[in-house]
Amino acid sequence: MAHATIYMGVTIPQFLRGAGRICPAHSTLTVLRHSAFCYCTVNGTLKSKRKMDHLERTASNFRQEVISQAKVCGITSESETVKRLRLAIANKDFTFKAGQWVDFFIPGVSVVGGFSMCSSPGLLEREGVLELAVKYAAHPPAHWIHTECTLDSEVALRVGDLHGHQESKGNAYKMGTVKLYYSAKNTKELLFKKNILGLMNAFPGKIMCRFHVTKQSSQICEELQPYVTEGRISEKDLEKHVSKDTLWYICGPPPMIESISKLLYNIGVPRNCVFFEKWW
């Protein structure tokens, strides 16, 4: 949750032509939208209960034209369920801004993934790498990362975002203060907690965080205790931050997003102040 007063070439890596089903003779975005439209029309998915995949969900979103090859240069376990990928980016024109995400193309996997960057644009500028944190799931791209991905595996990335449309309409936001509510099963699953604590210390009064754990079975370490609440994020936790200047950003699995968004609407938050994306 944040408080706020807040071209034209296309590069298609050879090894992706089968995996992403992208025709190199056409604009990537045009093919993407045409494919999604045809799929929905022919299969009636707009009326079906079949879950839309990442490309269908984000077909109308702004995307950069550049698709860049990338090589896995690091894999670490952030927790028992989350892998952190370090990717060396081949295209020097590849850039992103904080808060954006990437389409993640995998050779031999027909489903395209969608993942948010967990590293800063500065790391890409300095070292030519970016990082993704991916939780284990049966969804093919996430499953591949956890079961088949190795050092030197080759993938490709394309940046996507809504910011381009918002900025063109004069609706870009400048961030003021940030209050983060972060919920996980236990403290081991609170990824990047040390980084968050570091930011809180570096920007006192500007960045604040409350960690929530729902199934903690061990004692919480002394360093985290002042910032941890046992139990889910509640209406009482959030209602104190409701104001006309507050924007709310939700990230998590679809059921959590639905639950929290309904909670916010119930306590009077306007729908145009609540932002989220459902990846699958």
Side-chain angles (χ1 to χ4, degrees):
M1 183 279 288
H3 179 84
T5 32
I6 205 170
Y7 246 112
M8 272 281 290
V10 180
T11 304
I12 307 293
Q14 180 70 28
F15 68 87
L16 279 180
R17 293 179 181 173
R21 297 185 181 181
I22 297 172
C23 177
H26 302 283
S27 163
T28 303
L29 186 55
T30 300
V31 172
L32 167 64
R33 287 177 172 166
H34 176 73
S35 299
F37 173 78
C38 290
Y39 193 93
C40 291
T41 302
V42 172
N43 293 279
T45 56
L46 295 179
K47 297 180 180 180
S48 170
K49 292 184 179 180
R50 185 189 68 82
K51 291 184 179 180
M52 291 189 293
D53 65 20
H54 165 66
L55 290 188
E56 290 173 303
R57 287 186 183 278
T58 62
S60 62
N61 288 19
F62 172 83
R63 280 172 164 82
Q64 292 182 3
E65 291 287 345
V66 174
I67 296 179
S68 177
Q69 288 179 272
K71 182 176 289 189
V72 177
C73 59
I75 307 174
T76 57
S77 294
E78 283 295 321
S79 74
E80 294 176 354
T81 62
V82 176
K83 294 281 189 184
R84 184 170 183 163
L85 289 191
R86 189 174 177 90
L87 300 163
I89 308 301
N91 193 326
K92 293 184 178 180
D93 293 327
F94 182 96
T95 61
F96 73 93
K97 295 181 180 180
Q100 291 183 307
W101 44 264
V102 289
D103 296 333
F104 192 85
F105 302 91
I106 305 166
V109 178
S110 61
V111 178
V112 176
F115 304 114
S116 297
M117 281 71 83
C118 66
S119 58
S120 70
L123 181 66
L124 177 63
E125 292 175 5
R126 294 190 304 270
E127 301 181 28
V129 300
L130 64 76
E131 296 179 334
L132 306 175
V134 181
K135 191 176 182 70
Y136 177 83
H139 189 253
H143 190 264
W144 178 86
I145 288 170
H146 278 262
T147 62
E148 298 183 47
C149 181
T150 62
L151 289 177
D152 294 331
S153 287
E154 293 186 328
V155 296
L157 309 173
R158 174 179 55 195
V159 174
D161 186 44
L162 289 173
H163 180 77
H165 291 307
Q166 293 171 338
E167 189 171 41
S168 66
K169 295 178 181 178
N171 296 325
Y173 301 113
K174 294 181 180 179
M175 187 178 71
T177 58
V178 176
K179 176 73 176 184
L180 172 65
Y181 284 90
Y182 185 175
S183 181
K185 180 173 66 175
N186 53 51
T187 55
K188 291 181 179 180
E189 293 292 333
L190 291 170
L191 309 181
F192 313 115
K193 49 186 174 285
K194 290 185 178 180
N195 304 71
I196 294 171
L197 291 176
L199 287 169
M200 292 170 61
N201 290 327
F203 301 96
K206 297 292 286 184
I207 299 177
M208 297 153 279
C209 178
R210 195 71 198 169
F211 298 108
H212 284 251
V213 291
T214 58
K215 295 181 180 180
Q216 184 75 18
S217 58
S218 59
Q219 183 160 345
I220 298 170
C221 70
E222 187 175 340
E223 182 185 21
L224 281 178
Q225 283 180 4
Y227 309 101
V228 175
T229 297
E230 297 201 43
R232 297 182 181 276
I233 300 168
S234 68
E235 181 177 313
K236 185 178 179 180
D237 294 319
L238 302 181
E239 60 185 356
K240 68 185 83 170
H241 303 291
V242 176
S243 79
K244 64 182 179 66
D245 294 322
T246 302
L247 300 178
W248 303 77
Y249 296 86
I250 312 172
C251 181
M256 176 265 188
I257 291 175
E258 291 171 0
S259 174
I260 295 295
S261 59
K262 288 179 182 178
L263 185 157
L264 291 172
Y265 303 148
N266 289 340
I267 60 177
V269 176
R271 290 178 179 265
N272 64 352
C273 291
V274 180
F275 301 86
F276 56 82
E277 291 174 325
K278 296 180 182 178
W279 297 103
W280 59 76

